[in-house]
Amino acid sequence: MYARVTKYQLKPGHVEAATKLADSMKSDIMALPGIRQFLNVVREDGEGYIIALVSSQAEAQDSLPRVKEIWGRMAEHLAEMPTPEGFDVVAQWDAP
């Protein structure tokens, strides 16, 4: 399992509009190769993180052009274009 973690910053006052736009792109996001789970967290000040669990590093790499295209659709709400980072998953726990 592999995780793509992306820190992002929204422009002031754009949290609600960016959240609505992201919700409208759910099918595109969940259709990315190998994606297993997607988590988007954000604070009122617009600082947020995306954590996407992907089956493998290879699938995460293969999907980067589509990921960049999706981020491009969010550009009007972003303070700057974010850069995804990748990590090996060493633990994934769920509550009983």
Side-chain angles (χ1 to χ4, degrees):
M1 185 85 64
Y2 194 74
R4 183 173 33 241
V5 179
T6 309
K7 181 179 180 179
Y8 66 89
Q9 180 65 52
L10 298 173
K11 294 176 182 175
H14 284 245
V15 172
E16 185 177 335
T19 300
K20 286 180 184 178
L21 180 57
D23 287 346
S24 77
M25 295 188 294
K26 178 181 177 181
S27 61
D28 294 331
I29 293 167
M30 296 310 292
L32 290 167
I35 195 157
R36 302 280 191 129
Q37 192 171 28
F38 178 86
L39 179 65
N40 182 2
V41 297
V42 66
R43 291 192 298 229
E44 285 184 14
D45 67 0
E47 182 178 0
Y49 286 87
I50 300 286
I51 303 167
L53 296 183
V54 184
S55 296
S56 69
Q57 182 177 0
E59 287 178 303
Q61 289 297 112
D62 289 346
S63 68
L64 276 178
R66 289 179 61 197
V67 169
K68 288 180 182 180
E69 183 269 326
I70 290 168
W71 277 114
R73 290 166 31 196
M74 294 289 296
E76 70 180 283
H77 302 297
L78 296 169
E80 62 184 37
M81 196 56 63
T83 302
E85 295 185 62
F87 300 87
D88 292 323
V89 175
V90 295
Q92 179 190 3
W93 301 331
D94 294 314

